[in-house]
Amino acid sequence: MGSITLEHVNKSFGEVEIIPDISLEIKDGEFVVFVGPSGCGKSTLLRLIAGLEDTSSGHIKLDGEDVTGAPPARRGLAMVFQSYALYPHMSVRDNIAFPLKMAKTPQAIIDQKVDYAARTLNLGSYLDRRPRALSGGQRQRVAIGRAIVREPKAFLFDEPLSNLDAALRVNMRLEITELHQQLKTTMIYVTHDQVEAMTMADRIVVLNAGNVEQFGSPLELYKKPANRFVAGFIGSPKMNFVDGPEAEKHKAHAIGVRPEHFTLSTTAGAGQWAGTVNVAEQLGSDTFLHVEVEGLGLMTVRTDGDQTFSHGDKVYLTPDANRIYRFDAAGLAL
Amino acid sequence: MATRQTRTLARTMMAPAVIVLLIWMAVPLGMTIWFSFQNYSLINPMMTGFAGWGNYEYVIGDPSFTQALLNTLLLVGGVLLITVIGGTFLALLLDQPVWGQGILRILVISPFFVMPPVAALIWKNGFMHPGYGMLGHLYEALGLEPVDWFAQYPLFSVIVIVAWQWLPFATLILLTALQSLSEEQREAAEMDGANAVNRFRYIILPHMARAITIVILIQTIFLLGIFAEIRVTTGGGPGYASTNIAFLVFRTGILSNDIGAGSAGGVVAVIIANIVAIFLMRAVGKNLDA
Amino acid sequence: MARNVSVQTKTGFTILAWAVALLLFSPILWTIVTAFKTEAEAIAAPPTFLPLTFTLDNFFDVQDRSDYIKHAWNSILVSVGSTLLGLVIAIPAAWSMAFAPTKRTKDILMWMLSTKMMPAVGVLIPIYLIFRDLRLLDTVHGLTIIMTLINLPIIIWMLYTYFKEIPVDILEAARMDGAELWNEIVHVLVPMAIPGIASTLLLNVILAWNEAFWTITLTSGRAGTLTAFISSFSSPQGLFLAKLSAASLLAIAPILLLGWFSQKQLVRGLTFGAVK
Ligand SMILES: Nc1ncnc2c1ncn2[C@@H]1O[C@H](COP(=O)(O)OP(=O)(O)OP(=O)(O)O)[C@@H](O)[C@H]1O
Ligand SMILES: [Mg+2]
């Protein structure tokens, strides 16, 4: 069991208000990702849930029980840190066993659980090593191992993959997702990488300056962003925004078009907007064109990787009429 | 970090240290100040009652005080001069590529670990004794008249002994500071065409300035309290020739059993130390933020 | 240190450095060799360098005359006892200041440092009188208390600078793993800080061992430490140079060895972390 409820949680450090007022309901077994730009308060929110910081006001409930004032040790949550935070003076085995020792678990059960965790995470051959003798990916697995043995109500991850190289990051992403499917325990995962957010989450919380901009499933956020911030943050490459007369044609203050929602033509006049290719980023599978559109500015356009473009090529763009996002003056979606 | 709970715990855990030090600082110091305004002698129990500034007038008015104050300044200043200049020179030397650097360091640092009375006795008997001290032998070998150091130059002799003890400290700290000057910085300076003198003047010295300040301040704190070296060599004499403030307080308070006057001297010593302390705290405090 | 220098330069510096170092070391060297000479040889003119007749008698004489072993034992009790007591008080305090700092932490640290600057003579008389009335004069435990108090600021400061280098994440991980404060300190912080704690221990044993104000003023016969022991050799009593050397060597040897191991820590400890 592990449902987590935040009620009007507020957090200030001294005079500075970091989180004005957040209410959230995370269901048992859900995989929730907190995303947002750097400094928006993701880690702070996670630490509030963990009990490593206390709220300035508001309540945090675990399975309906108010734990606002409870110390981390009593909350029954497990956390995986960005720095892994392994105990350098203990072997991998002792690292994983530490929470069980703290809970005064009998040695036989400790051994059994450590073995299970080691098998699950492929750590068998490293159990007697010190953390310093492990690679980054192995260390992260140990940190996860340490978290799973105590069978927590929920897992909290704070950018666990950001110190790993790109290939390993993709692997670990899959492993964590599989782990979630296997354990079915609530997980809260903080990242600023929106690809991680989209691929892993059941639901995503988009944070900005300590406020929840939107809370919904990945596709909901992609298809129905609540406002301009979410629209710009979710999706890669970023959505193109246009305001002024062009937006007024759609009865909006601003409109947004995702790079993948253009029809592209090289035939003169065969498109709504004419532009010149500035840079073409060819990834093989796709090509991202940065097009200087007359009167509207720079736009990113995604096309398949078969056509080649070069600097100065004339192109004609037509936004997909059904997929134009409209925003009012306050940035809210219309 | 830190929840309210952690902060409460933290306060509790800090309490013993704070309380113990608070008592240690406040109670005896308060008593010293109290005594310093009392007529209080262990020899003459009839002498009691409020003394006003009497003890201070007695202590400060006595020529021994002026002498002790001057001696204190000479002792501190002399030792600082020798150790800072000598320490800088030694640090620069030990920082050069030489054979046996490890052993050299051990040899140079050793005097610091010699307890003050031993240092004083070795110098007094083994080196400065006019009859069989090594310096006496040396003077004789050169055809000179051996000097009775402690009789003729008592304060200077004490300065030599104390400087010998503290030179390693200055050297070690300056060497540490020197070695933290990165190789790149020096190489960059060499590339820029700076010669050895300019490198010392514009790169090394400014870098070491902070360390030198710290050496001066910390040594001053310790040097103001020099006691054992005087006790086992000259006993403060002849007359008051090698008595510093610390030793004067000991002489007045403990040897002559005049608690009131001794305490007044103690208060004066505290005031002098505080003036130095303020500067030291500034230097160290700045470092806390970094 | 991979500066390229010619062999000549290196030789030159080596000779100079060794000459200066040996000069500084000579009083200690003199003590070592004289300790093994006979009294007659010790004062012979011209002096000999190595003992002609090697003798250990001086050491036995010193033990007979002044009971070295008793004083050494007192020194050990006071220096180790006061350091351990200091660590017990300082570890929790340093934990608080390093990991749960408040706006006042810096002021408290500075204030602790300032207590170290109070000259001993400023409080000598009251302490002397208090000790006299509490019958603590000339007792090992009385001296241990004083030594703890004078070194406590250094112990706290050193631990504080070492603790600051431990990532707070790891302590938080322990908290998440269900460790209460006691376990966090005993199972995580202390083992991680062992090198720093050992350095602190070492330096403070040295400082307490060599402390020569309180040990001399507050003890006489029973609780005398080695500083008091050696001070009893300060009045000349005929031919005694070799015995003095033997006594000196006995008094400094243990700490000299420890000192060689703790040079680096010394810098950090005595500069309150200002020079590392
Ligand atoms: N202990 C603290 N005291 C004061 N301000 C803090 C403290 N911890 C965090 N902050 C501030 O709170 C804000 C949010 O920090 P937080 O670490 O939650 O951001 P984040 O979203 O996790 O960013 P990142 O993606 O860079 O990790 C930042 O402006 C930070 O400076
Ligand atoms: Mg963060």
Side-chain angles (χ1 to χ4, degrees), chain C:
Chain C
M1 290 284 138
R3 267 171 289 165
N4 286 324
V5 288
S6 67
V7 176
Q8 285 97 318
T9 320
K10 192 168 174 177
T11 313
F13 277 128
T14 303
I15 292 170
L16 186 61
W18 275 89
V20 176
L22 284 172
L23 194 67
L24 283 175
F25 191 70
S26 60
I28 297 171
L29 190 64
W30 174 85
T31 312
I32 296 172
V33 294
T34 311
F36 298 98
K37 291 177 179 173
T38 61
E39 290 294 357
E41 193 187 336
I43 55 167
T48 55
F49 178 52
L50 290 175
L52 296 172
T53 37
F54 181 87
T55 173
L56 292 175
D57 288 350
N58 298 316
F59 295 96
F60 296 113
D61 288 350
V62 164
Q63 169 62 26
D64 286 345
R65 201 188 98 172
S66 304
D67 200 352
Y68 166 76
I69 294 187
K70 184 188 80 183
H71 289 96
W73 179 240
N74 286 340
S75 275
I76 293 173
L77 286 180
V78 171
S79 56
V80 175
S82 67
T83 306
L84 291 180
L85 189 57
L87 282 175
V88 169
I89 303 174
I91 289 177
W95 173 89
S96 302
M97 293 191 281
F99 300 116
T102 64
K103 271 184 239 111
R104 267 172 304 159
T105 298
K106 199 181 143 174
D107 298 332
I108 293 176
L109 273 165
M110 295 314 287
W111 167 74
M112 288 184 168
L113 179 61
S114 76
T115 68
K116 182 72 199 154
M117 293 174 196
M118 187 171 57
V121 288
V123 295
L124 169 64
I125 288 164
I127 296 289
Y128 187 85
L129 296 176
I130 292 171
F131 266 47
R132 191 193 58 183
D133 295 344
L134 297 179
R135 306 198 173 284
L136 286 171
L137 275 183
D138 202 20
T139 60
V140 168
H141 49 274
L143 200 53
T144 306
I145 293 171
I146 293 291
M147 215 61 85
T148 306
L149 290 169
I150 24 184
N151 283 344
L152 192 57
I154 295 196
I155 298 181
I156 292 177
W157 264 85
M158 283 185 77
L159 289 180
Y160 171 78
T161 62
Y162 285 113
F163 286 2
K164 282 291 258 194
E165 287 170 11
I166 291 175
V168 70
D169 276 10
I170 296 184
L171 300 187
E172 290 182 340
R175 253 168 254 174
M176 292 303 296
D177 283 346
E180 303 284 344
L181 181 64
W182 171 254
N183 286 319
E184 174 185 324
I185 291 183
V186 171
H187 292 292
V188 181
L189 176 64
V190 169
M192 282 181 70
I194 276 294
I197 292 174
S199 312
T200 309
L201 188 109
L202 204 60
L203 179 66
N204 281 281
V205 167
I206 293 173
L207 291 178
W209 186 279
N210 287 346
E211 204 287 326
F213 182 79
W214 295 106
T215 49
I216 292 175
T217 49
L218 296 183
T219 68
S220 47
R222 263 183 312 143
T225 62
L226 286 172
T227 51
F229 158 84
I230 203 71
S231 301
S232 74
F233 286 81
S234 60
S235 43
Q237 294 166 5
L239 299 178
F240 76 116
L241 213 48
K243 281 185 208 52
L244 172 69
S245 300
S248 300
L249 188 56
L250 287 171
I252 63 172
I255 232 58
L256 211 49
L257 293 178
L258 282 188
W260 291 341
F261 290 111
S262 65
Q263 306 168 41
K264 274 272 155 64
Q265 290 71 305
L266 179 98
V267 173
R268 184 160 164 158
L270 285 183
T271 61
F272 301 93
V275 175
K276 279 183 204 159

Side-chain angles (χ1 to χ4, degrees), chain A residues 73-105:
Chain A
R74 306 260 169 77
R75 293 194 185 189
L77 303 172
M79 181 145 168
V80 176
F81 292 79
Q82 180 173 7
S83 61
Y84 320 132
L86 300 179
Y87 309 120
H89 58 289
M90 296 183 198
S91 65
V92 168
R93 182 189 301 281
D94 291 342
N95 261 283
I96 299 177
F98 186 76
L100 299 173
K101 285 213 181 95
M102 289 298 107
K104 304 210 163 54
T105 315

Side-chain angles (χ1 to χ4, degrees), chain A:
Chain A
M1 285 301 286
S3 70
I4 298 169
T5 314
L6 307 189
E7 288 173 358
H8 300 292
V9 167
N10 165 284
K11 177 67 184 173
S12 306
F13 287 111
E15 302 281 283
V16 197
E17 193 172 57
I18 301 297
I19 292 173
D21 178 5
I22 286 188
S23 296
L24 272 184
E25 215 158 308
I26 295 167
K27 295 193 206 84
D28 180 36
E30 238 186 334
F31 196 122
V32 171
V33 173
F34 294 170
V35 279
S38 186
C40 68
K42 307 179 292 288
S43 300
T44 306
L45 191 56
L46 197 70
R47 291 165 58 81
L48 286 172
I49 296 172
L52 293 171
E53 301 280 357
D54 45 20
T55 56
S56 301
S57 67
H59 294 275
I60 297 175
K61 289 180 181 168
L62 274 180
D63 288 334
E65 185 198 341
D66 194 326
V67 294
T68 313
R74 306 260 169 77
R75 293 194 185 189
L77 303 172
M79 181 145 168
V80 176
F81 292 79
Q82 180 173 7
S83 61
Y84 320 132
L86 300 179
Y87 309 120
H89 58 289
M90 296 183 198
S91 65
V92 168
R93 182 189 301 281
D94 291 342
N95 261 283
I96 299 177
F98 186 76
L100 299 173
K101 285 213 181 95
M102 289 298 107
K104 304 210 163 54
T105 315
Q107 190 60 42
I109 299 180
I110 294 185
D111 291 342
Q112 200 184 323
K113 289 193 171 175
V114 170
D115 280 344
Y116 171 76
R119 249 178 299 124
T120 316
L121 296 161
N122 280 323
L123 285 168
S125 42
Y126 311 119
L127 277 177
D128 294 312
R129 289 205 200 163
R130 289 285 165 91
R132 115 174 62 81
L134 299 179
S135 72
Q138 290 161 347
R139 285 181 206 187
Q140 196 50 271
R141 281 203 192 94
V142 177
I144 294 172
R146 191 172 65 182
I148 61 178
V149 284
R150 51 190 302 229
E151 292 160 19
K153 292 192 189 126
F155 291 93
L156 310 176
F157 294 90
D158 192 354
E159 307 203 24
L161 307 185
S162 56
N163 286 342
L164 303 179
D165 67 51
L168 200 53
R169 206 146 60 206
V170 175
N171 265 336
M172 288 298 299
R173 200 164 83 196
L174 285 172
E175 278 189 42
I176 293 175
T177 311
E178 273 170 24
L179 195 69
H180 178 243
Q181 282 158 2
Q182 193 185 330
L183 299 173
K184 302 196 170 51
T185 310
T186 314
M187 291 188 177
I188 302 181
Y189 187 105
V190 165
T191 179
H192 58 243
D193 178 346
Q194 56 105 8
V195 179
E196 270 176 25
M198 296 296 283
T199 53
M200 300 172 87
D202 293 328
R203 287 201 290 168
I204 298 177
V205 177
V206 181
L207 287 171
N208 182 28
N211 291 306
V212 176
E213 296 284 345
Q214 196 170 0
F215 183 23
S217 71
L219 283 184
E220 224 173 291
L221 300 195
Y222 179 82
K223 288 186 172 152
K224 294 201 194 80
N227 52 43
R228 197 171 155 162
F229 178 82
V230 177
F233 197 78
I234 300 290
S236 168
K238 270 171 65 105
M239 181 183 280
N240 303 295
F241 291 103
V242 176
D243 43 18
E246 191 65 35
E248 271 154 29
K249 283 188 206 156
H250 294 85
K251 299 197 188 66
H253 179 76
I255 56 167
V257 184
R258 294 198 184 276
E260 52 270 42
H261 296 158
F262 281 109
T263 318
L264 183 83
S265 168
T266 46
T267 320
Q272 272 183 27
W273 299 335
T276 321
V277 174
N278 204 345
V279 176
E281 294 176 313
Q282 316 220 335
L283 305 182
S285 57
D286 306 289
T287 298
F288 298 137
L289 300 179
H290 298 268
V291 180
E292 185 65 46
V293 177
E294 289 153 25
L296 300 178
L298 206 58
M299 294 212 186
T300 314
V301 180
R302 184 179 134 186
T303 84
D304 59 48
D306 299 336
Q307 276 175 286
T308 52
F309 293 89
S310 48
H311 178 78
D313 286 356
K314 283 267 174 212
V315 290
Y316 302 88
L317 308 174
T318 311
D320 184 340
N322 299 324
R323 285 158 152 173
I324 292 175
Y325 298 87
R326 297 159 56 238
F327 303 97
D328 66 16
L332 293 177
L334 291 169

